[in-house]
Amino acid sequence: MEDEPEPPLQPRTQIQGRVLFLTVCAAGIGGTFQFGYNLSIINAPTLHIQEFTNETWWARTGWPLPDHLVLLVWSLIVSLYPLGGLFGALLAGPFAIKLGRKKSLLVNNVFVVAAAILFGFSRRAGSFEMVMLGRLLVGISAGVSMNIQPMYLGESAPKELRGAVAMTSAIFTALGIVMGQVVGLRELLGGPQAWPLLLASCLVPGVLQLASLPLLPESPRYLLIDRGDSAICLAALQRLRGTTEVMVELAELEEERAACQGQRARRPWELFQDGTLRRQVISLVVLGSAMELCGNDSIYAYASSVFREAGVPQEKVQYAIVGTGCCELLTAFISCMVIDRVGRRVLLMGGYCLMTCWGSVFTVALCLQSSFPWMPYLAMCCIFAFILSFGIGPAGVTGILATELFDQKARPAAYMEGLSHFVYVPFLGVCVCGALYTGFFLPETKGKTFLEISEELHRLNYPRQNQGPTWKGPEVIRSTEL
């Protein structure tokens, strides 16, 4: 008779794992997967889109477009994607507050559907402007999803799995990059006639998300703290955990809700005026800048030429590039498994230190590749090692900092040749600074509740209690308009 209570535990664990897994997959496939996918598929049809631009202009005017203007149009097509990402990041905060986390991800697919239609009919319509507008729209979609998805997953996961669940955003980004590289191969959709279908294929993950995400629960934290709906929050929490025994976690949410009582929505620039958020804002700015400026994109830019120097045939370089994407995907999986064991700081410091090491060796290899026949092979190895180091920590951990360092209402705002051989050297300093800042100033958040994180950050923001305000709970910014 003593063993009778044991059997229900296994189904509960399975249910919890299934609902969490489905939530992660549904949010990721139409979220950061889209970002990585649209980031990488644009590389394969570069020459085909440039030829299409020139042919379109010739058909309209009877004159070919000069090479420098073709390059200008192509540069606009590429750069409109990050510009759209900026607009999307500005929309993410209002979306998350007014629509909720889940509904924001669903509404975000409007941009994807519109972009896919523009891509698919651009060749038939003879309009390269449709391609430009489509890239802007998928950029907006990427900006929204890159901010809301980690927020949604971080708020839906239990404390013990929060880091691993939030890290899946990096996994889906890397998976999207790899899938984009594979689909863009000449043997698939990378040919001169298939590029409109290649660009329009972003519709597939969007449809998958629209079909699956509505069946899954909203963030319990949003339901209770932002909407004040205890009954729906309890139902969502029980579904996500696979058990009715959620009163301890619900009590933590109620405590956080009480701390949020009476707090008004604040604007983004007010984040910089509140002393209780000083360390959080600085940490997010420094480490976010470090990830963007660490030189990972430059490594990808160098990859093709380094592979050719190492003797890889031109027609095989595309397969080697796929290998670089697989490296980042591999390390994203590894980080997801170990982040809640070793902590965030260890992964960030280790990643930046290894990137500094491999970046230094890579710079030396570039300088000496004409002097020693084996130097190109060393440079090629450094590319893979650097990308592996980037995937260990900075690629994924940085994205979850806003979820963990800021409380419920502040979180949406927080989401808002010759010398050419040495072009990589400035990035090494960024890697060093990223590692040092993580080691000295960023607190560890592993296994802590949001209230415990807020209390520790308060102590760090006011190291001398007699000089700072008396701690009366997590009186930090609770809401913003962006």
Side-chain angles (χ1 to χ4, degrees):
M1 296 299 294
E2 294 180 356
D3 295 336
E4 289 183 0
E6 293 294 329
L9 295 178
Q10 186 175 2
R12 286 174 182 173
T13 304
Q14 291 174 349
I15 292 173
Q16 176 184 359
R18 183 172 68 248
V19 174
L20 273 177
F21 178 76
L22 292 175
T23 302
V24 167
C25 291
I29 194 66
T32 52
F33 178 90
Q34 283 277 29
F35 163 70
Y37 186 76
N38 288 290
L39 185 67
S40 62
I41 60 172
I42 198 64
N43 295 320
T46 298
L47 295 178
H48 308 321
I49 295 178
Q50 290 178 356
E51 291 174 359
F52 166 70
T53 301
N54 195 25
E55 292 170 0
T56 301
W57 188 262
W58 199 333
R60 291 178 184 175
T61 65
W63 299 92
L65 195 64
D67 290 344
H68 69 280
L69 292 181
V70 172
L71 184 60
L72 175 62
V73 173
W74 171 248
S75 300
L76 287 174
I77 290 174
V78 174
S79 59
L80 281 172
Y81 185 64
L83 179 62
L86 173 62
F87 295 150
L90 295 175
L91 289 173
F95 274 20
I97 294 172
K98 295 179 180 179
L99 301 178
R101 284 45 164 162
K102 185 180 78 169
K103 191 177 293 185
S104 296
L105 290 174
L106 293 172
V107 172
N108 189 40
N109 285 289
V110 171
F111 300 112
V112 175
V113 173
I117 294 172
L118 290 170
F119 289 144
F121 291 97
S122 59
R123 188 180 186 91
R124 178 170 297 183
S127 173
F128 57 82
E129 294 87 353
M130 293 173 66
V131 179
M132 297 171 66
L133 180 57
R135 288 291 290 176
L136 179 66
L137 291 177
V138 292
I140 294 174
S141 172
V144 172
S145 62
M146 285 286 288
N147 288 280
I148 293 183
Q149 181 187 332
M151 195 189 313
Y152 172 49
L153 296 180
E155 293 176 0
S156 300
K159 178 177 63 177
E160 297 78 11
L161 298 175
R162 190 176 62 227
V165 170
M167 272 290 292
T168 57
S169 298
I171 292 178
F172 277 98
T173 299
L175 181 61
I177 291 174
V178 173
M179 287 299 298
Q181 291 170 340
V182 172
V183 174
L185 293 174
R186 286 187 295 270
E187 294 81 354
L188 297 177
L189 295 180
Q193 302 299 322
W195 65 264
L197 291 177
L198 174 63
L199 297 182
S201 60
C202 64
L203 180 63
V204 176
V207 170
L208 290 176
Q209 184 178 71
L210 287 172
S212 58
L213 192 58
L215 305 176
L216 297 164
E218 173 62 277
S219 160
R221 251 182 188 81
Y222 169 78
L223 292 172
L224 181 64
I225 300 176
D226 290 287
R227 286 180 49 182
D229 198 327
S230 301
I232 300 180
C233 169
L234 179 60
L237 202 58
Q238 291 174 342
R239 251 190 101 186
L240 285 166
R241 303 297 178 260
T243 177
T244 57
E245 300 171 3
V246 295
M247 300 313 297
V248 174
E249 189 170 357
L250 186 62
E252 293 177 359
L253 294 180
E254 290 285 1
E255 185 179 355
E256 190 173 348
R257 179 191 182 186
C260 296
Q261 206 72 29
Q263 296 290 335
R264 71 170 182 87
R266 298 194 187 186
R267 293 169 175 82
W269 51 85
E270 292 178 332
L271 292 173
F272 298 91
Q273 300 172 358
D274 195 316
T276 60
L277 287 178
R278 182 173 60 247
R279 185 175 293 263
Q280 294 94 308
V281 172
I282 294 175
S283 298
L284 198 61
V285 170
V286 170
L287 295 176
S289 300
M291 186 187 72
E292 297 299 332
L293 299 174
C294 68
N296 190 61
D297 291 340
S298 296
I299 282 286
Y300 275 108
Y302 265 108
S304 296
S305 60
V306 170
F307 291 151
R308 286 193 295 268
E309 288 287 338
V312 178
Q314 176 64 41
E315 64 275 8
K316 302 295 183 182
V317 168
Q318 59 176 343
Y319 304 110
I321 297 296
V322 174
T324 61
C326 292
C327 285
E328 190 169 336
L329 178 60
L330 173 64
T331 50
F333 272 113
I334 295 174
S335 296
C336 182
M337 291 186 289
V338 304
I339 186 171
D340 285 316
R341 296 177 182 173
V342 303
R344 284 66 161 158
R345 284 159 45 91
V346 172
L347 291 178
L348 281 173
M349 286 189 296
Y352 280 122
C353 290
L354 288 173
M355 290 164 70
T356 303
C357 172
W358 293 117
S360 302
V361 176
F362 182 63
T363 302
V364 173
L366 288 178
C367 294
L368 300 179
Q369 63 182 354
S370 59
S371 303
F372 299 93
W374 49 271
M375 276 295 173
Y377 300 101
L378 177 61
M380 185 170 63
C381 293
C382 287
I383 287 177
F384 287 102
F386 189 94
I387 292 173
L388 287 168
S389 304
F390 176 73
I392 286 175
V397 178
T398 307
I400 68 174
L401 291 180
T403 299
E404 297 191 322
L405 297 183
F406 292 83
D407 74 342
Q408 180 70 13
K409 296 297 182 67
R411 199 168 292 134
Y415 273 96
M416 288 200 18
E417 306 298 330
L419 292 177
S420 66
H421 291 318
F422 297 94
V423 70
Y424 198 74
V425 172
F427 299 127
L428 304 182
V430 174
C431 295
V432 173
C433 292
L436 292 177
Y437 185 89
T438 301
F440 287 104
F441 299 106
L442 183 69
E444 182 56 73
T445 57
K446 178 186 68 173
K448 299 178 181 177
T449 66
F450 290 114
L451 287 176
E452 290 170 343
I453 295 171
S454 295
E455 291 173 358
E456 182 173 356
L457 286 166
H458 181 87
R459 288 194 296 269
L460 292 172
N461 286 326
Y462 298 102
R464 298 179 181 179
Q465 284 293 327
N466 58 335
Q467 295 182 3
T470 303
W471 175 256
K472 298 178 181 178
E475 296 181 3
V476 294
I477 295 178
R478 300 297 169 181
S479 183
T480 72
E481 291 185 357
L482 290 179

